[in-house]
């Protein structure tokens, strides 16, 4: 009997130990599972099994507080100031002001600052009419150095240029810089063919010429002499907005370059273009006109006796 009693006690003790161990193990595993989702909150195993999800753990510091300490995010709009633009190369021998020892003809004597707006390489159906509209709106006359080939294709545009009081100039027939300066015969043929195209559309024979690419380096002294002998005066420029650069400038950039270059001068010939890709030129033109007027310039057209600018 005594042995049975001892075995019973031992058996009871074992069962009791197993029960205690089981309860302890259950509680521990429940706490572990909870801790995987919400490590900062201790809940009972029963609560984890049957209750709605516990309240979320304390939130980390608000994102706004963290962001407030960080630098301002980049603005969605581009910065107001444009990146610097290198001015197109300009011939350094062109003086800033028109030399005072040469007479300035065909100008308003009361005007102290004179600007000539010149438009090369047209006429085009796409851009020339827009430019003419802008000039009419601002009551400004310009000078169009046209390419004969384009004049033949768009005589009606050329007629409008003349009818609205602008001047037309000769800019060669083909504008092929690699061939037109080969010798004086080729160059004079180019000029004559352009004159024929201008005359057939308008009846005019303008005696003002702009050398494609500019007189330097292309119009060598011997060629320049032939052009002069043929009765033409040729005109370069001293303000170059760069509207014909390969990658293109924006209207804002052209405007800024024009006004910057003009700001130190009192007699300017501005080189612009009205060929069919020059929409940005047309877009810039109202601001160029307004800006030059604010600098005190008045506008004139180029005539054969206008004091030239030569490179
Ligand atoms: Zn040209």
């Amino acid at each position: 009997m005594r042995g049975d009693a001892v075995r019973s006690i031992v058996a009871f003790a074992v069962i009791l130990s197993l029960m205690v161990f089981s309860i302890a193990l259950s509680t521990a595993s429940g706490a572990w599972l909870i801790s995987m989702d919400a490590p900062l909150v201790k809940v009972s195993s029963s609560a984890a099994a049957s209750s709605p999800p516990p309240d979320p753990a304390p939130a980390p510091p608000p994102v706004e507080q963290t962001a407030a300490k960080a630098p301002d995010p980049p603005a969605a709009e581009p910065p107001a100031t444009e990146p610097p633009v290198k001015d197109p190369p300009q011939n350094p021998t062109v003086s800033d002001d028109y030399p005072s020892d040469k007479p300035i003809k065909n100008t308003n004597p009361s005007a102290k600052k004179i600007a000539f707006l010149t438009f090369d390489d047209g006429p085009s159906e796409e851009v020339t009419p827009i430019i003419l509209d802008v000039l009419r709106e601002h009551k400004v006359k310009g000078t169009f150095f046209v390419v004969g080939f384009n004049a033949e294709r768009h005589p009606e545009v050329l007629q409008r240029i003349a009818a609205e009081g602008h001047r037309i100039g000769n800019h060669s027939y083909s504008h092929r810089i690699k061939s037109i300066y080969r010798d004086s015969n080729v160059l004079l043929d180019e000029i004559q063919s352009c004159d024929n195209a201008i005359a057939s559309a308008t009846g005019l024979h303008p005696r003002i010429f702009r050398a494609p690419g500019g007189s330097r380096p292309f119009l060598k002294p011997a060629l320049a002499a032939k052009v002069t002998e043929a009765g033409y005066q040729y005109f370069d420029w001293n303000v170059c907005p760069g509207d014909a650069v390969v990658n293109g400038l924006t209207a804002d950039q052209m405007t800024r370059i024009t006004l910057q270059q003009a700001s130190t001068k009192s007699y300017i010939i501005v080189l612009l273009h009205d060929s069919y890709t020059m929409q940005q030129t047309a877009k810039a033109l109202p601001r160029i006109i307004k800006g030059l007027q604010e600098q005190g310039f008045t506008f004139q057209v180029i005539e054969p006796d206008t004091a030239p600018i030569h490179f």
Side-chain angles (χ1 to χ4, degrees):
M1 283 298 288
R2 195 173 175 186
D4 290 345
V6 170
R7 278 196 293 275
S8 297
I9 290 169
V10 169
F12 178 75
V14 168
I15 292 169
L16 189 61
S17 299
L18 288 171
M19 290 176 65
V20 170
F21 179 76
S22 174
I23 291 169
L25 184 64
S26 171
T27 302
S29 67
W32 172 250
L33 289 173
I34 295 298
S35 73
M36 293 292 284
D37 292 328
L40 300 179
V41 178
K42 284 189 176 181
V43 295
S44 68
S45 61
S46 60
S50 60
S51 299
D55 291 335
V63 174
E64 291 78 7
Q65 290 182 9
T66 305
K69 296 175 185 174
D72 291 334
E77 295 292 329
T81 54
E82 295 173 13
V85 177
K86 285 185 68 175
D87 285 357
Q90 197 173 11
N91 193 307
T93 62
V94 177
S95 63
D96 281 348
D97 272 303
Y98 185 76
S100 59
D101 59 335
K102 291 186 180 178
I104 297 177
K105 300 178 182 176
N106 185 39
T107 58
N108 179 354
S110 64
K112 294 181 179 177
K113 299 177 77 172
I114 300 156
F116 301 87
L117 297 178
T118 64
F119 302 93
D120 287 14
D121 298 356
S124 70
E125 283 184 324
E126 294 83 358
V127 174
T128 308
I130 304 172
I131 286 175
L132 290 172
D133 289 346
V134 172
L135 293 174
R136 182 165 56 187
E137 182 182 341
H138 291 80
K139 298 182 171 57
V140 169
K141 305 301 182 189
T143 302
F144 293 75
F145 287 100
V146 302
V147 172
F149 177 79
N150 291 333
E152 283 180 347
R153 289 194 301 162
H154 308 296
E156 73 290 348
V157 182
L158 205 64
Q159 289 158 6
R160 184 183 163 190
I161 292 172
E164 297 189 359
H166 307 288
R167 293 297 180 270
I168 294 172
N170 189 313
H171 196 39
S172 83
Y173 181 81
S174 72
H175 204 284
R176 293 194 180 110
I177 290 175
K178 288 184 178 177
S179 61
I180 64 175
Y181 298 110
R182 189 184 308 146
D183 59 48
S184 60
N185 288 332
V186 173
L187 182 60
L188 293 178
D189 280 350
E190 282 274 340
I191 292 172
Q192 185 59 53
S193 296
C194 181
D195 185 68
N196 293 342
I198 294 169
S200 73
T202 66
L204 300 171
H205 294 277
R207 286 295 176 261
I208 57 175
F209 173 67
R210 172 163 286 159
S215 69
R216 186 176 295 182
F218 303 109
L219 197 64
K220 306 289 187 199
L223 290 176
K226 290 289 185 182
V227 170
T228 303
E229 280 175 27
Y232 289 87
Q233 177 60 280
Y234 66 93
F235 294 85
D236 289 310
W237 57 87
N238 62 348
V239 171
C240 179
D243 61 343
V245 299
V246 173
N247 293 325
L249 298 180
T250 67
D252 286 346
Q253 290 168 329
M254 287 179 211
T255 304
R256 189 154 48 85
I257 292 169
T258 303
L259 299 181
Q260 184 181 16
Q261 291 184 4
S263 65
T264 58
K265 303 176 176 73
S266 60
Y267 186 90
I268 60 173
I269 297 181
V270 184
L271 174 67
L272 295 163
H273 295 81
D274 65 327
S275 46
Y276 69 98
T277 59
M278 298 295 160
Q279 279 84 1
Q280 289 298 306
T281 304
K283 188 178 175 186
L285 189 57
R287 279 175 284 168
I288 288 175
I289 291 172
K290 190 167 181 292
L292 291 176
Q293 287 173 331
E294 287 171 355
Q295 289 186 12
F297 283 97
T298 58
F299 296 97
Q300 304 280 340
V301 293
I302 292 180
E303 305 277 13
D305 63 349
T306 297
I309 286 177
H310 292 164
F311 290 162

